[in-house]
Amino acid sequence: MAARSLVSRWVAQGLLVALAYYLAGLFGLALPSIGRHITLIWLPSGIAVAALLRWGFRFWPAVFFGALSVNLSIGSSLPLACGIGVGNTLGPLLTAFILRRSSFHWEFDDKLDVVWLVGATLVGMVVSASNGIFQLWSVGELPGERIGAALVIWWMGDSIGVLLATPLLIALSRKTCRFLTGQGVEALVVALLLLALNWFIFLSSHHFTLAYIPVLVVMWSAMRFGVIGASITVLADAVLSAWGTAIGNGPFYLNGEHNLLILWIYIATHTVVSLVITALQAERGRSEAQAHAAYHRLNKVATRLPGVIYQFRYRADGNASIPYSSDAMRTIFRLEPATLREDASPALDLIHPEDHQNVMDSIRESARSLSPWQQEFRVRYPDGAERWLFGDSVPEREGDGSTLWHGFITDITAQKEVQAEMARAKVQAEVANQAKTHFLSAMSHEIRTPMNIIIGMSDVLSETGLDDKQKYYLTMLKNAGTNLLQLINDILDLSKVEANKLPILAEPVCVRLETREVIDMIDILARKKGVSLELRVDPDLPEWILLDALRFRQCLFNLISNGVKFTECGWVVVDLGQSDGQPPVLQCVVADSGIGIQPEHLTRIFENFTQSDAGISRRYGGTGLGLSLTRRLVEMMGGGLWVESVFGQGSRFCFTLPLQVTRPPVHNVAQGDDSRHPGSDPYPLRILLVEDLEENRALISVYLEDTPHRLTLVGNGAEGVRRVQESPFDLVLMDIEMPVMNGLQATTLIRAWEKETQRAPLLIVALSAHSMAGEAKRCQAVGCDDHLSKPINKRTLLLALGRYGEQLRAAGEG
Ligand code: ADP
């Protein structure tokens, strides 16, 4: 069924093609021609090309049949009609074949389509024209001398026919093609104008020779009515001009002869102009459609984004506009995008007054340097509500000096609120931390002062005649006091580390010497336990390194004393070396043959107040603070600490520190060599001790009992200042925390008095139980020469006094 209906459809289409060919042929033969067969415009070729292109090559018999009929109808013999018919079929077949193989589009929306159509037509029509001419010559209908001219006319006539008819028929066959919708009046004007012009130029006897004017109408039509309108116009124009010329009118009929070549060029020009304009129009339409589609796509995407996409233009005269903004402009700025296209003021006016200047400055700066614009700012809506926005865009300079930014603005109010909340929480945490640090510092002062006295007094007591039992009790007392002080120091240090208030210094340190001293401090205990304590130093290790001496000693002390503590008998070895890596690092290893650590405890032991297991504290004592503090200190100094251990066999604690080699420090008398014996021939000093606590005054008095120094005691800063002004002293030991007047104020007053009376400055040494960061600096700032941290033991004090005495002796001798 389906096959039959298909066949009948083909037959119907075939008959239609043949009939159209026949009728168009008769029409063509009515136009000026050479002999019976050669005519100026041969539209049937255009019909054939359109049919073969649109419906397929299988319609060639219809073309052939149409051509045959036309030729028979003008009285040609059957062989001649057949011969010409074959050529008239082969030509359009070749043209259609070339077009199908090329990139030609029926839509004529590209200049190339015109080029392909013209090219394929000229090639294909060579076949039909040369075949036709040959057929006519062979039957003697065309004399040999006219072959050339006839060939050109035939070829031109066929080609023009194709160029006139094919685009029109193809356009008509496309159902989607728009035809004069809503342009009826304009089309009528064009038609009347065309008729009038052709009447004047070709049909009347006015001899109006301005033959170039109709091309303007053709152009108008091509621009306004698309392929169909343009093709009909050109066809009508061609037919009217050819007819006029045929009846002996118009500019192409000169001296009693048709100038067919000019007529042909005239028609060909109109045809090509119309096709090119149509293609250009279609091309523009297509790019406009693409731009429109892209704009819609962008808009669709923009609606899904959490912000407004925009273009902002800032002109050289200071005017600003927002030529494009996505729909989110309505929610973010509560403004219609259209209202901002020419003038951005409504949006700029919404910027919070406090941020307005900043935003405008940043825009101007971005325009000046063409750097990306990024800004956080607030907007305030007419109802008083405020939001935080963030804008990010990239500028480009335009031809007229304006700057155009492309970017987005998004609402960051929620993020800002979280940030503000976090900042509040941080401030609260800092305040709490400061309170904790302050509390610890105050507590440490309060605890250290009595500890100072306990340890100091037991020192003094041990030098009196005691029996063994008493000595044993006293040692216990002193050890307990020292341990308690150590614990206080550790807690204080830890709180300083946590409050980021522990300053790390970089001073020239002789690591070998420092380590030796730490080992010496622990060696007595090690010997008692029967543990050997050995130091091994890499001979290539540089002598002086930039380090924080105090913290380095603290780390070593913790690790070595742990090694000794957790080794019943055996050895502890300290290795100092350096790694070969880049940058070089100082490597310290404290290894022991002690109890070792179970693998599951290896990481826990670095946590605050954590020991490897509960039994440890019972057997060995300790608080579990040492290692966590040590690790924090090592890290603050830029290094790392780790442990390797075999349970029951021993442990290796290793830490590294940056190795910065330096030169030895210049010798300083005030901080001179402590290794000297304190008692060797000290320079007698007149000392004023300014100290509020009676116990402390008593302690220092006892320390200095058997020395040549003379001590004067006063109980607060104000008394101290008075005594300094009354009697001569060599040295003032100035406590810092005191009632009535503290040590800092007293020192300030003494220094001012000295300046006023032009006296040589007195040696003032601050004594403080505050070991918080900055204490020494504060003392120095008011004019103290040195600073001793409590608790001060007898040896430290005597050594310091010895140094000050040497200084004075040297000054006196000088
Ligand atoms: P403390 O020594 O006061 O207990 P530390 O923080 O210095 O605190 O040490 C934590 C724990 O790590 C110790 O309790 C012990 O269990 C373990 N530890 C530290 N050093 C050694 C070591 N050299 N040998 C075996 N165990 C150790």
Side-chain angles (χ1 to χ4, degrees), residues 562-563 565-566 592 595-597 605 610-612 616 621-628 651 653:
N562 269 353
K565 182 159 92 175
F566 295 109
D592 64 60
I595 60 172
I597 304 164
I605 55 171
T610 306
Q611 299 183 309
S612 61
I616 292 280
T623 54
L625 259 191
L627 280 183
S628 75
S651 315
F653 282 84

Side-chain angles (χ1 to χ4, degrees), residues 117-143:
L117 181 70
V118 172
T121 302
L122 292 176
V123 172
M125 294 313 117
V126 166
V127 174
S128 51
S130 50
N131 172 72
I133 295 298
F134 173 74
Q135 298 292 341
L136 290 180
W137 172 76
S138 62
V139 295
E141 273 207 33
L142 190 69

Side-chain angles (χ1 to χ4, degrees), residues 766 768 770-782 784 786-787:
S768 93
H770 260 299
S771 61
M772 294 306 286
E775 190 65 22
K777 267 197 195 141
R778 273 180 17 179
C779 298
Q780 219 174 8
V782 297
C784 294
D786 204 355
H787 170 261

